Amino acid sequence: MNSLQAPSGRSFSEEAEKHAHGIAVAIEDVDTGAVLVAGMSGDLDPVEVARVRRKIDLGILPMMCILYWIQVMDKITLGSAAILGIQQDTHLSTTQYNWLGTVFYLSYLLFEYPQNLALQRFPVGRWMSINIFVWGIALACHAACKNFAGLFVARFILGMCEGSITAGFMIVSSMFYTRTEQTSRVGCWFLMNGIAQIISGFISFGSLHIKTGGFAPWQWLMIITGTLTLITAVVYWFFFPDSPTNAWFLTPAERAIAVRRLKENQTGVENKHFKKDQVIEALKDPKTWIFAVFAALDQIPNSLSNQRQIIVASLGFTALQTTLLSCVDGVIQVATIWTGVMIVSRIPNSRAYVGAGCYIPPLAGVLMIEFLPWSNKIGLLFGIWLVDINIIGFVLSLAWLTSVTAGHTKRVTTNAIMLSAYCVGNGLGPFMWLTQYKPRNRVPWVVIGICHIVCSILLLTIRFILSRENKMRDAEPVANDFEEVYIEQVTADGKRIEVKVDKEFLDLTDIHNRDFRYVL
């Protein structure tokens, strides 16, 4: 059961006989934060903790929000470009247009696990900045594409690089914030989905008014968004921190506080050493796959991101009206995400209930779209907007998965599996929008409604499983297997000493650490 080994390769019990005072482990086996705070004890000053948290918020949240806005805006450029004439200019059929939406997520899926491994192996900030730079170039190159083949390659590169961002942000959120803080912070950067909808709508509106011979509005959209992405890449290279142990905006003392305040997570900061046993545990853990199925089904309706403006235009709105109406989608998403994360932050263990409840308005929206007459375009438009509320379920699931998974390699693996499932859902979704279903698209809307129902059931199932596990652990006797663990450090004068490491920084998984309790 023990996930750590002593440097000699012997089991904990064998090494404990050699070290009467406890167990010696190699530095690479423990969390990176262990070296920084090993031997420290005593209570932290709440005032200092709050001050450090504010510095962390100012140091990383604005950059995370800006990048997520850029990422989402870049992702939905295809839907915006559809109104600006990309299908006509590049001679795309409906099937080819749908494939451009799918290939993005196919590439995302193929590179998701390699991206997660790279995020564990390399500095997080630098690795993300490289990916941002490459995808910025690929996005700008959309403007030079004249046919399906060129757009296919550009979209493939876009998906390959963007796969690092959500995974990286999930890791960063768990490295810098406590479990009680993670939901609100994940919600903060994820609500940029809505902001991106709003800003993209205005950029598209502005692009429609650019009159240049031989250069269409959709091409200007790609150049503008690509340029913004390249600027963001440069900022990330120089200013985004890799972890609280080396954050440039924190003093050495503040870094120690930033790490020590994470003890309540029972997850540590990070570990750069790949652990095969944690991968196996992740694959055997039932909750990994329930979260994955949830992500896949939740994201099938997300194919609306590339279809929404086409559907709105089919109701009889002009290109300008459709472009401006897309801003309303963004406002709804921002309001929904903010409301959801605030409720969860204030009501303990409410993630599953809030997540499941958020699917009720979208189901009402689906029923409106299915049964209202086609002539009632305002009612149908409101039905489409109600469907946007489902976004909060996925936001809460991202933060929840990070909070209930311990062991850095295991967390990287579960993140990769969930985001791969996210890609499967997004990849399959576009294929339900077939020409024969237009304009009512009754079959796709029925599929969306079924997905919402199943997703709400899955969230409640996860809660039931985790709650039952917590009760079982509460009934177990207290285990002291990892109370006396030491690493070897070299002092400034060259002397070798052994320093005690707290259990929270041993990179134990949530299954091995029986003191770990799952948030609900």
Side-chain angles (χ1 to χ4, degrees):
M1 286 290 291
N2 294 323
S3 59
L4 295 174
Q5 281 188 323
S8 62
R10 288 191 285 266
S11 67
F12 268 28
S13 58
E14 290 172 327
E15 196 68 19
E17 292 175 5
K18 179 179 177 181
H19 295 267
H21 60 278
I23 303 165
V25 296
I27 288 179
E28 64 265 21
D29 280 329
V30 299
D31 190 85
T32 55
V35 178
L36 185 65
V37 301
M40 293 185 180
S41 59
D43 295 331
L44 292 172
D45 181 358
V47 175
E48 281 296 293
V49 170
R51 185 180 64 81
V52 170
R53 184 177 61 242
R54 285 193 297 270
K55 288 191 71 172
I56 291 172
D57 283 341
L58 291 173
I60 67 172
L61 267 185
M63 284 192 287
M64 292 175 78
C65 289
I66 289 171
L67 177 56
Y68 212 73
W69 155 54
I70 291 289
Q71 183 205 21
V72 175
M73 185 173 64
D74 292 353
K75 193 189 307 181
I76 64 176
T77 49
L78 183 63
S80 301
I83 299 299
L84 302 180
I86 191 173
Q87 288 177 281
Q88 295 78 16
D89 291 350
T90 56
H91 315 291
L92 297 176
S93 66
T94 299
T95 301
Q96 288 175 327
Y97 177 79
N98 289 341
W99 261 109
L100 293 180
T102 295
V103 71
F104 174 91
Y105 291 104
L106 177 61
S107 174
Y108 198 127
L109 172 63
L110 292 175
F111 288 94
E112 186 57 36
Y113 194 57
Q115 285 280 18
N116 273 268
L117 292 179
L119 286 166
Q120 180 180 20
R121 175 67 179 84
F122 303 115
V124 174
R126 294 297 175 89
W127 182 252
M128 284 198 296
S129 66
I130 292 171
N131 280 276
I132 300 166
F133 187 81
V134 173
W135 110 48
I137 293 174
L139 185 62
C141 285
H142 278 59
C145 297
K146 303 297 183 183
N147 52 37
F148 171 71
L151 289 169
F152 188 94
V153 172
R155 296 287 295 178
F156 185 89
I157 296 173
L158 209 62
M160 174 184 71
C161 296
E162 289 200 24
S164 66
I165 304 307
T166 302
F169 278 11
M170 290 171 73
I171 292 172
V172 169
S173 297
S174 66
M175 288 196 298
F176 280 91
Y177 294 106
T178 65
R179 294 198 293 179
T180 56
E181 297 164 354
Q182 285 170 19
T183 299
S184 59
R185 270 58 179 193
V186 170
C188 187
W189 52 259
F190 207 94
L191 64 78
M192 301 311 290
N193 261 284
I195 300 295
Q197 292 270 6
I198 298 169
I199 296 177
S200 181
F202 283 116
I203 293 176
S204 299
F205 182 78
S207 299
L208 270 172
H209 291 80
I210 301 176
K211 307 297 182 182
T212 52
F215 212 71
W218 68 267
Q219 292 174 303
W220 278 114
L221 175 66
M222 299 300 180
I223 293 296
I224 293 169
T225 52
T227 301
L228 290 172
T229 303
L230 291 172
I231 294 171
T232 305
V234 175
V235 172
Y236 259 67
W237 179 268
F238 290 106
F239 296 107
F240 196 80
D242 300 310
S243 96
T245 61
N246 60 10
W248 61 270
F249 53 83
L250 298 177
T251 66
E254 289 170 341
R255 292 171 188 169
I257 293 173
V259 172
R260 290 184 64 199
R261 77 187 200 93
L262 299 179
K263 286 182 66 175
E264 69 178 70
N265 289 3
Q266 298 276 339
T267 59
V269 179
E270 66 172 338
N271 185 289
K272 294 297 185 183
H273 182 59
F274 179 81
K275 298 180 179 180
K276 182 180 177 181
D277 60 312
Q278 291 195 11
V279 174
I280 295 172
E281 180 178 312
L283 295 175
K284 291 181 177 180
D285 194 336
K287 73 176 183 292
T288 300
W289 300 106
I290 302 177
F291 271 112
V293 173
F294 167 83
L297 294 177
D298 181 80
Q299 291 304 300
I300 288 177
N302 195 46
S303 55
L304 272 171
S305 61
N306 288 327
Q307 300 291 333
R308 185 180 287 108
Q309 295 196 51
I310 295 174
I311 295 170
V312 172
S314 71
L315 294 175
F317 295 99
T318 67
L320 285 174
Q321 290 172 333
T322 300
T323 300
L324 289 176
L325 284 171
S326 67
C327 298
V328 179
D329 297 290
V331 172
I332 291 172
Q333 290 187 14
V334 169
T336 299
I337 294 172
W338 183 256
T339 301
V341 298
M342 287 299 101
I343 292 173
V344 170
S345 298
R346 285 166 170 72
I347 303 177
N349 296 322
S350 61
R351 292 165 178 81
Y353 297 140
V354 174
C358 80
Y359 290 104
I360 296 174
L363 281 171
V366 169
L367 292 174
M368 290 173 65
I369 295 166
E370 286 287 346
F371 295 108
L372 285 177
W374 189 245
S375 59
N376 188 351
K377 64 179 184 179
I378 299 301
L380 293 170
L381 188 60
F382 271 87
I384 294 171
W385 286 337
L386 281 176
V387 174
D388 288 333
I389 295 176
N390 77 319
I391 191 171
I392 187 61
F394 187 68
V395 175
L396 295 179
S397 71
L398 285 179
W400 198 8
L401 177 66
T402 300
S403 300
V404 298
T405 308
H408 197 72
T409 302
K410 181 179 181 181
R411 190 184 305 133
V412 164
T413 303
T414 54
N415 288 352
I417 291 172
M418 183 174 183
L419 291 174
S420 295
Y422 157 91
C423 295
V424 171
N426 277 290
L428 292 176
F431 290 106
M432 66 183 179
W433 302 96
L434 301 179
T435 303
Q436 62 260 37
Y437 298 142
K438 294 181 178 180
R440 292 300 308 236
N441 293 302
R442 292 192 184 277
V443 172
W445 288 114
V446 169
V447 172
I448 288 173
I450 293 172
C451 288
H452 290 339
I453 293 171
V454 176
C455 283
S456 62
I457 294 172
L458 288 173
L459 288 177
L460 296 174
T461 300
I462 294 171
R463 190 187 196 284
F464 172 78
I465 293 172
L466 298 183
S467 177
R468 183 179 61 183
E469 178 64 23
N470 282 344
K471 292 176 182 177
M472 291 173 59
R473 295 188 181 195
D474 290 341
E476 292 175 357
V478 177
N480 299 312
D481 295 348
F482 306 104
E483 296 302 323
E484 298 291 331
V485 180
Y486 296 81
I487 58 173
E488 187 178 80
Q489 288 186 332
V490 180
T491 62
D493 58 3
K495 182 180 178 182
R496 293 183 178 274
I497 60 172
E498 287 186 335
V499 183
K500 183 179 178 181
V501 180
D502 291 328
K503 178 193 289 187
E504 293 84 357
F505 299 106
L506 294 179
D507 195 37
L508 299 174
T509 66
D510 52 282
I511 291 179
H512 281 100
N513 183 0
R514 305 309 291 176
D515 288 336
F516 188 96
R517 293 296 182 270
Y518 296 103
V519 293
L520 306 174

